[in-house]
PDB file of all heavy atoms in Angstrom:
ATOM      1  N   SER A 586     116.152  45.233   2.281  1.00  0.00           N
ATOM      2  CA  SER A 586     116.556  43.838   2.039  1.00  0.00           C
ATOM      3  C   SER A 586     117.461  43.723   0.837  1.00  0.00           C
ATOM      4  O   SER A 586     117.406  44.530  -0.063  1.00  0.00           O
ATOM      5  CB  SER A 586     115.317  42.943   1.882  1.00  0.00           C
ATOM      6  OG  SER A 586     114.720  43.159   0.605  1.00  0.00           O
ATOM      7  N   LEU A 587     118.282  42.694   0.856  1.00  0.00           N
ATOM      8  CA  LEU A 587     119.218  42.441  -0.249  1.00  0.00           C
ATOM      9  C   LEU A 587     118.429  42.200  -1.535  1.00  0.00           C
ATOM     10  O   LEU A 587     118.830  42.599  -2.625  1.00  0.00           O
ATOM     11  CB  LEU A 587     120.070  41.229   0.084  1.00  0.00           C
ATOM     12  CG  LEU A 587     121.469  41.199  -0.545  1.00  0.00           C
ATOM     13  CD1 LEU A 587     122.272  42.359  -0.143  1.00  0.00           C
ATOM     14  CD2 LEU A 587     122.164  39.865  -0.160  1.00  0.00           C
ATOM     15  N   ASN A 588     117.249  41.531  -1.399  1.00  0.00           N
ATOM     16  CA  ASN A 588     116.439  41.256  -2.584  1.00  0.00           C
ATOM     17  C   ASN A 588     116.014  42.536  -3.335  1.00  0.00           C
ATOM     18  O   ASN A 588     115.930  42.572  -4.571  1.00  0.00           O
ATOM     19  CB  ASN A 588     115.175  40.481  -2.182  1.00  0.00           C
ATOM     20  CG  ASN A 588     115.449  39.060  -1.843  1.00  0.00           C
ATOM     21  OD1 ASN A 588     116.560  38.550  -2.090  1.00  0.00           O
ATOM     22  ND2 ASN A 588     114.518  38.388  -1.208  1.00  0.00           N
ATOM     23  N   SER A 589     115.777  43.623  -2.529  1.00  0.00           N
ATOM     24  CA  SER A 589     115.320  44.845  -3.161  1.00  0.00           C
ATOM     25  C   SER A 589     116.454  45.549  -3.904  1.00  0.00           C
ATOM     26  O   SER A 589     116.222  46.517  -4.635  1.00  0.00           O
ATOM     27  CB  SER A 589     114.718  45.792  -2.103  1.00  0.00           C
ATOM     28  OG  SER A 589     115.740  46.301  -1.256  1.00  0.00           O
ATOM     29  N   LEU A 590     117.702  45.098  -3.709  1.00  0.00           N
ATOM     30  CA  LEU A 590     118.858  45.723  -4.365  1.00  0.00           C
ATOM     31  C   LEU A 590     119.314  44.963  -5.594  1.00  0.00           C
ATOM     32  O   LEU A 590     120.232  45.391  -6.313  1.00  0.00           O
ATOM     33  CB  LEU A 590     120.012  45.797  -3.396  1.00  0.00           C
ATOM     34  CG  LEU A 590     119.837  46.658  -2.127  1.00  0.00           C
ATOM     35  CD1 LEU A 590     120.963  46.449  -1.164  1.00  0.00           C
ATOM     36  CD2 LEU A 590     119.712  48.129  -2.467  1.00  0.00           C
ATOM     37  N   LEU A 591     118.664  43.826  -5.915  1.00  0.00           N
ATOM     38  CA  LEU A 591     119.128  42.954  -6.989  1.00  0.00           C
ATOM     39  C   LEU A 591     119.044  43.630  -8.360  1.00  0.00           C
ATOM     40  O   LEU A 591     119.849  43.325  -9.262  1.00  0.00           O
ATOM     41  CB  LEU A 591     118.340  41.659  -7.001  1.00  0.00           C
ATOM     42  CG  LEU A 591     118.665  40.707  -5.830  1.00  0.00           C
ATOM     43  CD1 LEU A 591     117.776  39.451  -5.907  1.00  0.00           C
ATOM     44  CD2 LEU A 591     120.138  40.310  -5.806  1.00  0.00           C
ATOM     45  N   ASP A 592     118.088  44.529  -8.581  1.00  0.00           N
ATOM     46  CA  ASP A 592     117.994  45.242  -9.850  1.00  0.00           C
ATOM     47  C   ASP A 592     119.159  46.151 -10.047  1.00  0.00           C
ATOM     48  O   ASP A 592     119.472  46.547 -11.185  1.00  0.00           O
ATOM     49  CB  ASP A 592     116.690  46.053  -9.921  1.00  0.00           C
ATOM     50  CG  ASP A 592     115.471  45.170 -10.103  1.00  0.00           C
ATOM     51  OD1 ASP A 592     115.673  43.983 -10.440  1.00  0.00           O
ATOM     52  OD2 ASP A 592     114.361  45.652  -9.842  1.00  0.00           O
ATOM     53  N   PHE A 593     119.811  46.531  -8.994  1.00  0.00           N
ATOM     54  CA  PHE A 593     120.971  47.442  -9.104  1.00  0.00           C
ATOM     55  C   PHE A 593     122.262  46.676  -9.221  1.00  0.00           C
ATOM     56  O   PHE A 593     123.101  46.956 -10.091  1.00  0.00           O
ATOM     57  CB  PHE A 593     121.008  48.372  -7.876  1.00  0.00           C
ATOM     58  CG  PHE A 593     122.146  49.344  -7.896  1.00  0.00           C
ATOM     59  CD1 PHE A 593     122.020  50.551  -8.571  1.00  0.00           C
ATOM     60  CD2 PHE A 593     123.347  49.066  -7.232  1.00  0.00           C
ATOM     61  CE1 PHE A 593     123.057  51.462  -8.564  1.00  0.00           C
ATOM     62  CE2 PHE A 593     124.399  49.973  -7.277  1.00  0.00           C
ATOM     63  CZ  PHE A 593     124.267  51.185  -7.947  1.00  0.00           C
ATOM     64  N   ASP A 594     122.451  45.725  -8.340  1.00  0.00           N
ATOM     65  CA  ASP A 594     123.713  44.942  -8.354  1.00  0.00           C
ATOM     66  C   ASP A 594     123.549  43.762  -7.398  1.00  0.00           C
ATOM     67  O   ASP A 594     122.570  43.670  -6.643  1.00  0.00           O
ATOM     68  CB  ASP A 594     124.893  45.832  -7.875  1.00  0.00           C
ATOM     69  CG  ASP A 594     126.267  45.297  -8.288  1.00  0.00           C
ATOM     70  OD1 ASP A 594     126.323  44.133  -8.733  1.00  0.00           O
ATOM     71  OD2 ASP A 594     127.249  46.058  -8.152  1.00  0.00           O
ATOM     72  N   GLU A 595     124.534  42.891  -7.430  1.00  0.00           N
ATOM     73  CA  GLU A 595     124.578  41.757  -6.476  1.00  0.00           C
ATOM     74  C   GLU A 595     125.596  42.174  -5.419  1.00  0.00           C
ATOM     75  O   GLU A 595     126.751  42.537  -5.738  1.00  0.00           O
ATOM     76  CB  GLU A 595     125.029  40.489  -7.194  1.00  0.00           C
ATOM     77  CG  GLU A 595     125.008  39.256  -6.293  1.00  0.00           C
ATOM     78  CD  GLU A 595     125.412  38.016  -7.025  1.00  0.00           C
ATOM     79  OE1 GLU A 595     125.568  38.052  -8.276  1.00  0.00           O
ATOM     80  OE2 GLU A 595     125.602  36.961  -6.348  1.00  0.00           O
ATOM     81  N   PHE A 596     125.187  42.111  -4.139  1.00  0.00           N
ATOM     82  CA  PHE A 596     126.026  42.629  -3.076  1.00  0.00           C
ATOM     83  C   PHE A 596     126.592  41.526  -2.174  1.00  0.00           C
ATOM     84  O   PHE A 596     125.900  40.534  -1.889  1.00  0.00           O
ATOM     85  CB  PHE A 596     125.229  43.617  -2.206  1.00  0.00           C
ATOM     86  CG  PHE A 596     124.985  44.937  -2.869  1.00  0.00           C
ATOM     87  CD1 PHE A 596     123.959  45.125  -3.774  1.00  0.00           C
ATOM     88  CD2 PHE A 596     125.832  46.013  -2.590  1.00  0.00           C
ATOM     89  CE1 PHE A 596     123.756  46.341  -4.385  1.00  0.00           C
ATOM     90  CE2 PHE A 596     125.642  47.248  -3.204  1.00  0.00           C
ATOM     91  CZ  PHE A 596     124.604  47.410  -4.102  1.00  0.00           C
ATOM     92  N   ARG A 609     129.637  44.357  -9.247  1.00  0.00           N
ATOM     93  CA  ARG A 609     129.943  45.041 -10.501  1.00  0.00           C
ATOM     94  C   ARG A 609     130.227  46.530 -10.294  1.00  0.00           C
ATOM     95  O   ARG A 609     131.161  47.064 -10.809  1.00  0.00           O
ATOM     96  CB  ARG A 609     128.812  44.837 -11.503  1.00  0.00           C
ATOM     97  CG  ARG A 609     128.546  43.431 -11.876  1.00  0.00           C
ATOM     98  CD  ARG A 609     127.395  43.315 -12.886  1.00  0.00           C
ATOM     99  NE  ARG A 609     126.124  43.814 -12.367  1.00  0.00           N
ATOM    100  CZ  ARG A 609     125.293  43.142 -11.640  1.00  0.00           C
ATOM    101  NH1 ARG A 609     125.623  41.869 -11.306  1.00  0.00           N
ATOM    102  NH2 ARG A 609     124.182  43.648 -11.190  1.00  0.00           N
ATOM    103  N   VAL A 649     123.051  48.319 -12.913  1.00  0.00           N
ATOM    104  CA  VAL A 649     122.323  47.872 -14.089  1.00  0.00           C
ATOM    105  C   VAL A 649     121.044  48.655 -14.309  1.00  0.00           C
ATOM    106  O   VAL A 649     120.681  49.025 -15.412  1.00  0.00           O
ATOM    107  CB  VAL A 649     121.983  46.337 -13.961  1.00  0.00           C
ATOM    108  CG1 VAL A 649     121.127  45.901 -15.076  1.00  0.00           C
ATOM    109  CG2 VAL A 649     123.263  45.542 -13.870  1.00  0.00           C
ATOM    110  N   GLY A 650     120.379  48.991 -13.206  1.00  0.00           N
ATOM    111  CA  GLY A 650     119.156  49.784 -13.336  1.00  0.00           C
ATOM    112  C   GLY A 650     118.685  50.174 -11.958  1.00  0.00           C
ATOM    113  O   GLY A 650     119.131  49.687 -10.945  1.00  0.00           O
ATOM    114  N   PRO A 652     116.080  50.641  -8.812  1.00  0.00           N
ATOM    115  CA  PRO A 652     114.944  49.917  -8.256  1.00  0.00           C
ATOM    116  C   PRO A 652     113.644  50.624  -8.644  1.00  0.00           C
ATOM    117  O   PRO A 652     113.600  51.811  -8.843  1.00  0.00           O
ATOM    118  CB  PRO A 652     115.211  50.012  -6.726  1.00  0.00           C
ATOM    119  CG  PRO A 652     116.651  50.289  -6.597  1.00  0.00           C
ATOM    120  CD  PRO A 652     117.016  51.073  -7.808  1.00  0.00           C
TER     121      PRO A 652
END
Side-chain angles (χ1 to χ4, degrees):
S586 74
L587 208 61
N588 287 348
S589 71
L590 298 169
L591 290 178
D592 288 344
F593 181 84
D594 199 350
E595 185 179 351
F596 285 83
R609 297 181 299 277
V649 175

